[in-house]
C-alpha cells in the first residue's frame, strides 16, 4: 500500500507445510492492500502474489522490450521461452484472486496471527490444496489472464517453441491447463506427432488410456520412441500385454544404447 507510482509488489508464499485457512488469509490480506492483485504458480509448492496500485492496461510492448537480450537468456535457462511462457504462470486475475480470499480472516500488523499459526502447519506437515485447484486458464475467465490478452495483442497464437516450453515447465502441476493447451496445439497442427504425444502423455497421467490411444492413432506417420512408449503405457493400463510388448519393441528400435536396452528389458518383464 506504500508503493511509489508504478511500483509492483511481489510476495512469495508456500503451499507445503501450511493450511488452506492460512493461505486464504495471506491472499485476502494482500488483496486488501492493493488495487490490483493476481496469483501465479511456479511449481508444486510455490506461489506468488503480484500487486500494484491503480488500474492500468498492461503494456505488452514494454514487456517485450524489457525481456529482450540478457533477461531473455535468463528465462531460457529457467525453461521459459519468452514473455508468453512467463505470463502462462498466472493462474488467477484480480477478481479470482480476491474471490479466493473472500471471507478469510485477515492478518493485520497489530495482531500477526500468521506468525504464530504457521508453525502448526510445519509441525503437522500439512499441505494447502484449495489454491492448487484455482486455475482460470481453464474455463470462462481465461480471457482475463495476461497470457490470453498478450496473444490477442500480438495477433498470433503460441508458437511450437512457446507451447513446448509451457508444457515442459509445469510438468507436475496444472494438469487441466496443460491438457487444454496440448489439445489446442494439436488442433492447430493436424496430424503432427509432437502435440499429440503431449496430449496422450497427459491422458495417461489422468488414467485415460483409451483416449490416449485414440489421440496417438491420429498421428500421421510412424512417430518416435516417445509415441510408442506412451502407447505401451496405455496398453499396459488396459492389461493388453501383447500389444504393450509390441509397442515397446517399436520404441526400442527407435532408440540406441542404454535407453533401447531399458525398453527391451521392460518388454521382457511383461512376458
Amino acid at each position: 500500500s506504500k508503493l511509489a507510482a508504478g511500483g509492483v509488489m511481489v510476495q512469495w508464499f508456500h503451499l507445503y507445510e501450511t493450511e488452506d485457512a492460512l493461505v486464504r488469509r495471506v491472499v485476502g490480506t494482500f488483496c486488501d492492500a492493493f488495487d490490483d492483485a493476481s496469483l501465479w504458480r511456479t511449481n508444486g509448492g510455490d506461489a506468488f502474489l503480484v500487486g500494484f496500485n491503480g488500474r492500468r492496461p498492461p503494456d505488452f510492448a514494454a514487456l517485450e522490450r524489457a525481456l529482450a537480450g540478457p533477461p531473455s537468456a535468463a528465462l531460457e535457462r529457467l525453461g521459459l521461452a519468452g514473455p508468453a511462457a512467463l505470463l502462462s504462470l498466472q493462474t488467477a486475475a484480480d477478481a479470482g484472486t480476491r474471490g479466493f480470499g473472500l471471507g478469510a480472516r485477515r492478518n493485520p500488523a497489530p495482531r500477526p496471527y500468521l506468525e504464530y499459526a504457521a508453525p502448526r502447519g510445519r509441525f503437522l506437515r500439512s499441505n494447502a490444496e484449495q489454491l492448487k485447484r484455482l486455475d482460470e486458464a481453464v474455463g470462462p475467465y481465461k480471457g482475463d489472464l495476461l497470457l490470453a490478452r498478450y496473444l490477442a495483442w500480438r495477433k498470433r497464437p503460441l508458437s511450437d517453441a512457446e507451447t513446448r516450453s509451457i508444457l515442459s515447465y509445469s510438468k507436475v502441476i496444472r494438469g487441466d491447463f496443460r491438457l487444454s493447451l496440448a489439445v489446442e496445439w494439436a488442433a492447430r497442427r493436424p496430424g503432427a506427432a509432437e502435440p499429440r504425444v503431449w496430449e496422450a502423455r497427459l491422458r495417461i497421467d489422468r488414467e485415460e488410456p483409451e483416449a490416449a490411444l485414440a489421440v496417438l492413432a491420429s498421428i500421421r506417420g510412424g512417430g518416435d520412441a516417445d509415441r510408442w512408449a506412451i502407447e505401451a503405457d496405455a496398453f499396459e493400463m488396459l492389461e493388453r500385454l501383447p500389444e504393450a510388448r509390441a509397442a515397446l519393441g517399436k520404441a526400442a528400435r527407435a532408440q540406441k544404447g542404454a535407453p533401447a536396452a531399458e525398453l527391451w528389458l521392460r518388454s521382457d518383464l511383461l512376458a
Side-chain angles (χ1 to χ4, degrees), residues 19-52:
E19 299 172 281
D20 286 311
L22 294 182
V23 170
R24 294 175 70 89
R25 183 186 287 257
V26 168
V27 173
T29 302
F30 187 92
C31 289
D32 288 349
F34 298 99
D35 297 331
D36 193 289
S38 57
L39 276 164
W40 303 64
R41 294 279 308 281
T42 55
N43 56 37
D46 294 312
F48 292 85
L49 284 159
V50 176
F52 55 87

Side-chain angles (χ1 to χ4, degrees), residues 41-44 46 48 74-81 85-86 88-89 161-174 177-178 181 198:
R41 294 279 308 281
T42 55
N43 56 37
D46 294 312
F48 292 85
L75 284 177
E76 289 281 358
R77 288 195 295 272
L78 294 173
L80 295 168
L86 178 63
S88 76
L89 303 182
E162 289 170 331
T163 307
R164 190 181 303 117
S165 170
I166 296 169
L167 289 171
S168 299
Y169 185 84
S170 302
K171 280 185 178 179
V172 298
I173 63 171
R174 305 182 68 191
F177 167 59
R178 294 169 68 232
L181 196 62
W198 269 107

Side-chain angles (χ1 to χ4, degrees), residues 72-254:
S72 177
L75 284 177
E76 289 281 358
R77 288 195 295 272
L78 294 173
L80 295 168
L86 178 63
L87 296 176
S88 76
L89 303 182
Q90 186 188 20
T91 57
D94 183 67
T97 303
R98 293 182 187 280
F100 184 80
L102 188 66
R105 296 179 65 183
R106 296 320 197 226
N107 193 61
R111 301 184 65 185
Y113 176 85
L114 182 64
E115 181 178 351
Y116 298 98
R120 182 175 63 180
R122 183 173 177 82
F123 176 77
L124 296 174
R125 296 188 180 277
S126 56
N127 292 302
E129 299 295 335
Q130 293 176 353
L131 188 139
K132 296 178 183 179
R133 296 191 288 272
L134 174 60
D135 196 340
E136 294 181 342
V138 180
Y141 302 108
K142 177 179 178 179
D144 294 340
L145 297 185
L146 290 172
L147 176 59
R149 297 168 69 183
Y150 173 65
L151 296 178
W153 171 80
R154 76 177 193 182
K155 298 180 181 179
R156 68 178 188 276
L158 292 169
S159 67
D160 288 354
E162 289 170 331
T163 307
R164 190 181 303 117
S165 170
I166 296 169
L167 289 171
S168 299
Y169 185 84
S170 302
K171 280 185 178 179
V172 298
I173 63 171
R174 305 182 68 191
D176 290 345
F177 167 59
R178 294 169 68 232
L179 178 58
S180 68
L181 196 62
V183 171
E184 292 173 4
W185 190 14
R188 295 196 302 270
R189 297 284 306 281
E194 186 178 7
R196 285 160 179 79
V197 167
W198 269 107
E199 181 183 349
R201 183 182 292 116
L202 293 165
R203 297 285 185 189
I204 291 293
D205 291 343
R206 298 162 69 95
E207 299 184 358
E208 300 174 357
E210 296 95 342
L213 289 172
V215 171
L216 293 172
S218 67
I219 294 176
R220 295 172 184 167
D224 59 9
D226 285 343
R227 178 258 170 94
W228 298 117
I230 295 169
E231 186 168 294
D233 290 338
F235 282 132
E236 188 173 354
M237 291 177 71
L238 294 169
E239 299 185 358
R240 294 161 58 177
L241 300 187
E243 291 162 293
R245 291 193 67 202
L248 284 170
K250 293 178 181 179
R253 284 189 284 273

